[in-house]
Amino acid sequence: MDFLRPASWEDALAAKAAHPTAVPIAGGTDVMVEINFDHRRPEYLLDLNRVGELGDWEVGEESVRLGASVPYAAIMDNLRGELPGLALASHTVASPQIRNRGGVGGNLGTASPAGDAHPALLAAGAEVEAESVRGSRLIPIDAFYTGVKRNALAPDELIRAVHIKKAAGPQQYSKVGTRNAMVIAVCAFGLALHPDTRTVRTGIGSAAPTPVRAKTAEEFLNATLEEGGFWDNGRIITPSVAKKFAELCAAACNPIDDVRGTARYRRHAVGIMARRTLTWTWESYRGTDGGVAQQRGRVA
């Protein structure tokens, strides 16, 4: 196994172009586990730790540009107001040591359905900035996951950053695990209210071959909220609406039985998380001017 260690982003792109099979490594929290257990033996490792710009983020008027190597700890400490759903997801990642090393770019590159960041990114409607020596492009998060641990990157592309719209309303994240820390998700669920567009987006993790949205559930809830004037009158969402939304979210799953949980349990748990996160986010939205202020307090 050869170890490539570029000193700049341009060098990294050149190395990836010359060695398309090279596996990028930054935090190494996924890659090193696979190598240590001999599940993967790449010909080249592409170490990105000397590319400092990957650890930077920029907060714009409408969105956050998050470098691929920004650690989860930095998201929790610095971006909980702008990206509350992702900050909540970051809290559930492994241990403090891993949260100080791992980042969203690694989750995206591995594309495991159990990756903790995926539900929050789907709910927020993120875009992945991919680049090669040929140029750069933005990949909508909905088109990024192409199969089990497969993504839409070309062989010569690297993830440079993730673009995420700043929260316009409350966001929530829930995760079920077999213990309270250092655990791979049995299943996970993200929910984001977007009052500016009067829409709701979801994200489901570890309950299908790829991270997915519950689009039918979103369509049902969006229509219900619009027809009932909920966005304007702040009415309480009735139990029947919450129950139907939860059932549709559970139906969006396509899980398997494995050592962490059964398919039946995963569907059940996703439904419970969908109902609870909808209740939390909507109550937060009703209780504040657009919901953002109270959501910041919830993340804290």
Side-chain angles (χ1 to χ4, degrees):
M1 185 186 307
D2 287 338
F3 193 70
L4 309 175
R5 198 166 183 234
S8 67
W9 180 244
E10 290 71 23
D11 290 344
L13 295 180
K16 186 61 169 165
H19 307 285
T21 61
V23 175
I25 182 170
T29 58
D30 287 323
V31 173
M32 291 310 300
V33 171
E34 293 184 336
I35 291 176
N36 288 339
F37 282 92
D38 208 26
H39 295 160
R40 192 176 196 179
R41 191 60 57 179
E43 186 178 2
Y44 300 96
L45 277 180
L46 181 60
D47 179 13
L48 299 176
N49 281 291
R50 290 205 294 173
V51 184
E53 66 185 78
L54 296 180
D56 297 334
W57 67 88
E58 302 171 14
V59 178
E61 290 188 10
E62 297 183 353
S63 65
V64 175
R65 183 181 182 274
L66 189 70
S69 296
V70 174
Y72 293 110
I75 297 171
M76 292 160 51
D77 291 342
N78 301 286
L79 297 170
R80 62 181 65 192
E82 294 83 1
L83 308 176
L86 187 58
L88 283 169
S90 299
H91 274 278
T92 74
V93 174
S95 64
Q97 296 90 337
I98 291 176
R99 289 194 289 271
N100 275 294
R101 289 290 296 167
V104 173
N107 252 196
L108 290 166
T110 304
S112 166
D116 292 314
H118 303 313
L121 296 176
L122 282 166
E127 293 182 307
V128 180
E129 182 181 340
E131 190 166 342
S132 71
V133 293
R134 298 176 289 108
S136 63
R137 60 178 176 138
L138 291 177
I139 306 172
I141 194 68
D142 292 332
F144 187 78
Y145 311 107
T146 60
V148 179
K149 294 189 175 182
R150 298 200 307 272
N151 59 47
L153 293 175
D156 63 342
E157 285 184 317
L158 294 171
I159 298 171
R160 186 168 189 172
V162 185
H163 297 251
I164 312 168
K165 289 183 179 180
K166 292 163 65 174
Q171 300 180 358
Q172 267 294 339
Y173 179 89
S174 289
K175 173 180 173 180
V176 174
T178 55
R179 55 188 180 185
N180 198 38
M182 290 296 292
V183 64
I184 300 173
V186 175
C187 53
F189 188 85
L191 182 72
L193 302 186
H194 299 273
D196 51 340
T197 57
R198 298 196 173 205
T199 56
V200 177
R201 285 180 63 106
T202 60
I204 299 173
S206 202
T210 68
V212 295
R213 286 169 57 198
K215 292 185 179 180
T216 301
E218 293 174 13
E219 292 169 359
F220 160 75
L221 188 58
N222 289 337
T224 300
L225 295 177
E226 190 63 35
E227 291 169 5
F230 284 81
W231 293 109
D232 297 319
N233 59 34
R235 289 171 51 197
I236 296 174
I237 291 180
T238 62
S240 61
V241 170
K243 179 181 178 183
K244 180 65 174 179
F245 175 73
E247 291 172 349
L248 292 172
C249 286
C253 301
N254 183 21
I256 60 171
D257 297 328
D258 64 15
V259 295
R260 297 195 306 277
T262 65
R264 181 179 179 183
Y265 176 75
R266 284 185 163 101
R267 288 193 187 94
H268 172 74
V270 166
I272 296 296
M273 289 189 290
R275 177 175 55 80
R276 289 178 178 175
T277 55
L278 175 59
T279 301
W280 296 335
T281 52
W282 191 254
E283 285 304 304
S284 182
Y285 175 75
R286 292 179 66 238
T288 63
D289 294 333
V292 176
Q294 187 167 331
Q295 180 63 16
R296 287 174 178 165
R298 184 187 295 277
V299 175

